[in-house]
Amino acid sequence: MSASKRTRRRLFERGGGRCAMCQRSLVIDPGPDGTEYHIAEAAHIVAEKPDGPRGAVDRPGDIDGLANLVLLCPSDHSTIDKGDGPRLWPRAKLLRLKRDHESWMAVLAGRTEPRPFQQWRILTPPRPGDIVVVDGEPYRLCGETTSAKAADDCTDGAFETMTCDGGIWLQGHAFGEGTIAGHVWLRRSEAAPGLRAALVDEAALLMDLPPIPGLPPLSGVDMTPETVTLVTAMVSPTSILDRLAGARKVLGHDELLLLSRALPSLADALAELHGRGFAHRALSPGAILMPDARTLALRDLGLATVPPRAGERDDPYHAPEQAAGSAPPGPPADVHRLARILYELVTGRPAGRGARQVAPSVLNPAVPAACDAVFAAALTPDPARRPGVRAFAEGLRVACIAPFGA
């Protein structure tokens, strides 16, 4: 038995007619006769049959009820059910995806009729649920407010308000409600002129960069004498951690292959920055998005347009020269930070400092031994001895696929 027509209709309404995973509209434009139809699929979180995806344990009483269905497009339905999908998208992750998506759709459906753009005012500071207008486009801030230390010391979080140089720095996930629809990353500076200038410079850099998959597209920038607001598009807010770290604490063979094949898109993006004399310098798991199984992308350009300085950061992923060093950090810092992120992802443990890392293949038998030397080279304390970002990505790709002859 499958979900009833009424149940599917309710699921479609609760999901706002959009795929819960990729956020694309599931409504096909009407044809000459004016008839609309959609490609939405009511995907089972726990399979109809016990031997199906996620179907073996803890089965709900109503297998075809709304609580066990999530609205997806045909492609993403196949993603969660076929091949390695059931392990990468366990029940808990799909329930969280369904909850977050339907909650946001309920907010959009329940809001009052929006006022004309010219009547909106940017609040100081904005709060989750508020609308910020950038380049004439309205964006509604998502998530709950958190507090952080300083604008250049934090890159994760749903919505963060920070004090920096006597001013305010805001950053967080937002959702376009105008002609630009979908997920975006919004940052706004009311801080000292240096950080405002960095956002202006980042907007100019984004406009000059080529449209490659690993780079964040610029959605809008708004400048006043007091504030600068920058918006970059996100096809999906799914991070590398969200997509690859499922029920397991460490990655298996299949996840390693996915990672190695998606890594070149991120390496290309970072190499483009490096070739122009910039470095991200703020890579973290939340700042690396994985909108699909083939792509890793930057959420923003991090500190690329902030002048580098020795001792600029002291976070879990910092390169040695960022915490203390005689020279300002550059592209090698990105290689080190990326290697620390991936080491933690594949082993479930932070990488040691100095040359004290345990070989990844020792901590996770699924990691081919050839990966050990690739990680060791990228994690060396000496920036001059690290490989370039493309060489690091290619080294991992080759090491991961070699045992399979792919």
Side-chain angles (χ1 to χ4, degrees), residues 89-383:
W89 292 92
R91 182 184 184 186
K93 183 183 287 190
L94 287 177
L95 286 172
R96 186 171 64 250
L97 178 80
K98 170 186 171 71
R99 178 202 64 202
D100 292 347
H101 176 68
E102 292 183 355
S103 295
W104 179 241
M105 291 301 108
V107 169
L108 295 184
R111 74 183 191 273
T112 57
E113 190 66 24
R115 295 167 284 170
F117 291 171
Q118 61 269 24
Q119 294 182 21
W120 283 333
R121 294 290 181 268
I122 298 178
L123 304 177
T124 305
R127 298 158 301 194
D130 288 338
I131 287 176
V132 173
V133 180
V134 182
D135 271 354
E137 290 287 336
Y139 300 94
R140 190 178 295 270
L141 300 173
C142 308
E144 297 181 356
T145 302
T146 61
S147 296
K149 292 73 64 184
D152 62 354
D153 196 37
C154 195
T155 56
D156 295 333
F159 183 77
E160 294 167 337
T161 303
M162 290 154 270
T163 300
C164 187
D165 294 337
I168 296 174
W169 174 280
L170 308 170
Q171 64 181 25
H173 177 199
F175 199 89
E177 295 191 12
T179 57
I180 296 178
H183 297 277
V184 299
W185 183 249
L186 184 147
R187 286 171 295 155
R188 178 181 174 206
S189 174
E190 298 175 5
L195 282 177
R196 296 207 305 272
L199 282 184
V200 173
D201 291 343
E202 181 171 336
L205 178 57
L206 286 169
M207 287 188 282
D208 191 49
L209 289 169
I212 61 179
L215 288 171
L218 176 66
S219 293
V221 61
D222 192 78
M223 292 177 278
T224 73
E226 296 80 23
T227 67
V228 175
T229 308
L230 181 65
V231 180
T232 49
M234 299 191 291
V235 174
S236 166
T238 304
S239 72
I240 184 174
L241 198 62
D242 292 333
R243 187 171 287 274
L244 290 180
R248 297 182 175 190
K249 291 185 178 180
V250 297
L251 302 191
H253 292 291
D254 294 334
E255 294 97 325
L256 284 168
L257 285 175
L258 284 176
L259 172 62
S260 65
R261 289 165 178 166
L263 196 53
S265 59
L266 180 65
D268 286 344
L270 290 171
E272 183 68 30
L273 289 178
H274 297 170
R276 293 168 180 253
F278 297 97
H280 190 286
R281 309 195 327 271
L283 291 173
S284 70
I288 301 174
L289 305 179
M290 194 170 187
D292 57 59
R294 300 170 298 280
T295 308
L296 288 174
L298 297 172
R299 187 187 60 196
D300 54 48
L301 299 188
L303 300 177
T305 53
V306 176
R309 57 183 175 83
E312 66 183 3
R313 292 180 73 86
D314 185 12
D315 64 285
Y317 305 101
H318 72 257
E321 62 270 27
Q322 288 189 283
S326 58
D334 285 348
V335 177
H336 188 96
R337 294 184 72 93
L338 180 58
R340 294 192 70 84
I341 292 165
L342 299 184
Y343 182 101
E344 186 173 318
L345 184 65
V346 303
T347 67
R349 300 185 187 183
R353 289 291 174 181
R356 296 187 295 274
Q357 299 86 21
V358 178
S361 63
V362 173
L363 297 175
N364 181 358
V367 177
C371 291
D372 296 345
V374 180
F375 274 104
L379 290 171
T380 182
D382 183 358

